[in-house]
């Protein structure tokens, strides 16, 4: 047996250095088919804060998606950086914004509902990014989320809450908007702006927000690459939809390490994200995607998966994937999507509480191995792509 293993290891090493290339007669038609059913992913920033997040996301660089800025303010929309721009509420707002009134933001989205629905038709996965507490982001986002789900897209909303210093009124507006958005989104990720102070309080304003956006942008980028790039252990759009559809409050985070104990350090880096507003403990569903160099071992993969699974609900649906990136030799990146988590802020909003609960700083889950991890790499119920179904007067700091 030992000699067989030794021979196999040697042979695998040789094959990894030089993989033979063959072209089959079906390859051409397969490529055409894949291009025809390719997932359409849209990242839409709503309002001033959401549009700025999309602009910064484009600055970081992301492929395989359509970025869209949506606003009632024509002047701000003009300076936003996105693949597409949609001015909503032309008649109602006249391009002058919503004046910080979420009711105006909502009516503006309803006025432009037909245009928004036409644009989103054929979308498989919709990321909505917005700052809550103002007018357009707070009022229009729930309307757009509702439209997205109506046309068959899975909707992931990523929103920020105002700084405490912005006052009670903005917090109350944000909580009302959060309650509406939670009821029409598949999955909801909440970023508390107050936590930016923990990581960047001494930095200039623009740099502080850029750091916040980059942390979330890298996580979103990881989800996109999860869908568009094939992996050694592949996670596809159907897997993703199984986890995020009707997922509720969620954690979307990213960690990396090139240290001696890189597997555990990458997990700790992901779970130690200072912007998180929820705890993964008791999570109902999870995707773990590991991207590493060719030197990453199976034992290290096991460490990552078991550590995360040990914090989840014992019956959680866990799907993991792995992708090799030659440029990451010596390091590892971990993308973590956990749905059905506990978020005191979202719970408070759904219960009609207009003030966010006072939260202690989140602690990292205890690092221990799971006894019986419910892990499935490919065993899942297939969810068809939307395309398959179808063809068959103030702006808060949160809006910077």
């Amino acid at each position: 047996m030992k000699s067989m293993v030794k021979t196999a290891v040697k042979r695998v090493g040789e094959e990894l250095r030089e993989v033979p290339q063959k072209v089959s007669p079906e390859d051409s038609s397969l490529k055409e088919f894949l291009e025809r059913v390719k997932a359409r992913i849209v990242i839409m920033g709503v309002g001033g804060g959401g549009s700025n997040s999309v602009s910064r996301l484009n600055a970081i660089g992301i492929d395989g998606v359509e970025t869209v800025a949506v606003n009632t303010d024509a002047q701000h929309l003009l300076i936003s950086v996105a693949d597409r721009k949609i001015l909503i509420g032309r008649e109602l707002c006249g391009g002058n914004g919503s004046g910080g009134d979420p009711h105006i933001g909502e009516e503006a989205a309803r006025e432009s509902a037909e245009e928004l629905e036409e644009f989103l038709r054929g979308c498989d996965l919709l990321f909505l990014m917005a700052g809550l507490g103002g007018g357009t982001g707070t009022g229009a986002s729930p309307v757009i989320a509702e439209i997205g789900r109506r046309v068959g897209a899975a909707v992931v909303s990523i929103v920020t809450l105002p700084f405490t210093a912005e006052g009670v009124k903005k917090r109350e507006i944000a909580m009302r908007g959060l309650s509406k958005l939670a009821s029409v989104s598949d999955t909801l990720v909440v970023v508390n702006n107050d936590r930016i102070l923990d990581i960047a309080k001494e930095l200039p304003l623009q740099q502080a927000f850029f750091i916040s956006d980059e942390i979330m942008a890298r996580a979103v980028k990881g989800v996109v690459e999860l869908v568009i790039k094939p992996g050694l252990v592949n996670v596809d759009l159907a897997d993703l939809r199984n986890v995020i559809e009707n997922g509720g409050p969620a954690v979307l985070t990213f960690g990396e390490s090139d240290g001696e104990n890189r597997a555990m350090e990458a997990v700790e880096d992901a779970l130690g994200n200072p912007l998180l507003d929820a705890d993964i403990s008791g999570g109902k569903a999870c995707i773990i995607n590991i991207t590493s160099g060719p030197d990453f071992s199976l034992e290290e993969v096991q460490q990552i998966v078991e550590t995360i699974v040990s914090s989840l609900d014992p019956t959680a649906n866990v799907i993991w994937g792995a992708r090799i990136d030659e440029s990451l030799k010596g390091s590892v990146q971990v993308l973590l999507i956990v749905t059905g988590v506990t978020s005191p802020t979202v719970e408070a909003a759904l219960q009609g509480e207009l003030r966010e609960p006072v939260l202690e700083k989140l602690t990292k889950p205890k690092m221990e191995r799971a006894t019986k991890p419910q892990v499935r790499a490919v065993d899942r119920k297939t969810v068809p792509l939307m395309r398959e179904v179808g063809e068959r007067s103030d702006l808060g700091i949160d809006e910077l």
Side-chain angles (χ1 to χ4, degrees):
M1 178 61 72
K2 288 183 179 179
S3 62
M4 289 176 63
V5 172
K6 187 175 180 181
T7 301
V9 169
K10 181 180 179 182
R11 186 172 178 179
V12 167
E14 292 173 350
E15 290 181 355
L16 286 176
R17 285 194 293 270
E18 187 175 353
V19 179
Q21 299 295 318
K22 288 187 177 181
V23 178
S24 74
E26 293 80 20
D27 285 352
S28 179
S29 60
L30 280 172
K31 287 178 181 178
E32 290 177 3
F33 175 78
L34 287 172
E35 185 62 30
R36 204 165 54 245
V37 300
K38 183 171 63 175
R40 184 181 176 217
I41 303 172
V42 174
I43 302 177
M44 184 175 283
V46 185
S51 295
N52 283 344
S53 294
V54 165
S55 293
R56 293 180 186 126
L57 184 61
N58 277 284
I60 293 167
I62 185 167
D63 298 320
V65 302
E66 297 172 64
T67 58
V68 188
V70 176
N71 212 337
T72 55
D73 184 341
Q75 188 172 5
H76 190 278
L77 195 60
L78 184 62
I79 64 172
S80 299
V81 180
D83 296 323
R84 298 289 302 274
K85 301 178 183 182
I86 300 176
L87 179 65
I88 59 173
R90 291 171 183 261
E91 295 296 324
L92 179 65
C93 302
N96 294 315
S98 61
D101 187 340
H103 299 295
I104 298 297
E106 179 179 348
E107 289 306 311
R110 296 199 183 282
E111 178 190 314
S112 303
E114 188 175 335
E115 180 182 1
L116 289 164
E117 184 168 340
E118 178 63 29
F119 177 81
L120 289 173
R121 193 167 289 120
C123 175
D124 297 300
L125 178 60
L126 172 62
F127 288 96
L128 282 181
M129 306 184 80
L132 300 184
T136 305
T138 308
S141 294
V143 177
I144 298 173
E146 194 172 13
I147 292 171
R149 294 183 76 180
R150 187 163 66 239
V151 300
V155 178
V156 179
S157 296
I158 303 172
V159 297
T160 60
L161 298 179
F163 288 100
T164 300
E166 293 184 80
V168 173
K169 183 178 178 181
K170 277 197 172 292
R171 305 295 281 190
E172 291 180 350
I173 290 173
M175 292 295 279
R176 288 192 188 97
L178 186 63
S179 176
K180 289 183 178 181
L181 195 56
S183 66
V184 291
S185 300
D186 283 294
T187 294
L188 181 62
V189 179
V190 178
V191 177
N192 191 329
N193 271 350
D194 279 340
R195 299 193 187 280
I196 299 175
L197 296 173
D198 295 335
I199 59 174
K201 62 182 177 181
E202 296 179 357
L203 290 176
L205 185 64
Q206 186 176 10
Q207 290 183 24
F209 276 94
F210 191 88
I211 289 173
S212 170
D213 280 334
E214 182 163 7
I215 290 173
M216 294 311 301
R218 292 190 69 182
V220 172
K221 184 176 181 178
V223 177
V224 171
E225 292 182 345
L226 185 73
V227 175
I228 67 175
K229 292 186 177 181
L232 183 65
V233 179
N234 202 47
V235 179
D236 56 29
L237 181 62
D239 292 314
L240 183 61
R241 291 186 67 134
N242 267 334
V243 169
I244 66 176
E245 285 188 335
N246 301 309
V251 166
L252 172 59
T253 186
F254 176 90
E256 60 185 339
S257 176
D258 58 0
E260 185 176 343
N261 191 20
R262 56 190 177 177
M264 296 304 296
E265 289 172 0
V267 173
E268 291 175 358
D269 187 38
L271 297 180
N273 185 335
L275 302 180
L276 295 182
D277 188 74
D279 188 347
I280 73 167
S281 300
K284 305 301 183 186
C286 176
I287 286 180
I288 308 164
N289 199 58
I290 303 165
T291 306
S292 67
D295 58 333
F296 203 66
S297 71
L298 182 60
E299 182 181 15
E300 289 175 301
V301 171
Q302 184 182 30
Q303 285 180 343
I304 290 173
V305 175
E306 287 192 345
T307 300
I308 294 169
V309 169
S310 67
S311 296
L312 305 177
D313 185 286
T315 62
N317 173 31
V318 181
I319 300 171
W320 71 274
R323 184 168 63 86
I324 302 300
D325 185 336
E326 295 290 339
S327 67
L328 293 178
K329 187 174 182 179
S331 62
V332 61
Q333 299 175 344
V334 176
L335 172 71
L336 185 59
I337 308 166
V338 186
T339 59
V341 301
T342 300
S343 172
T345 302
V346 175
E347 290 178 1
L350 289 173
Q351 291 170 7
E353 298 177 22
L354 299 182
R355 297 193 184 184
E356 182 190 0
V358 177
L359 301 176
E360 296 181 1
K361 191 171 182 179
L362 293 175
T363 55
K364 300 175 187 176
K366 184 178 179 182
M367 298 296 176
E368 58 184 25
R369 291 181 180 273
T371 53
K372 294 182 180 180
Q374 305 289 318
V375 182
R376 290 185 282 274
V378 294
D379 178 20
R380 48 113 177 116
K381 184 169 28 174
T382 299
V383 178
L385 302 184
M386 180 271 156
R387 192 168 291 103
E388 294 173 341
V389 175
E391 293 179 359
R392 310 156 278 202
S393 42
D394 60 328
L395 294 176
I397 299 176
D398 61 293
E399 296 198 356
L400 287 171

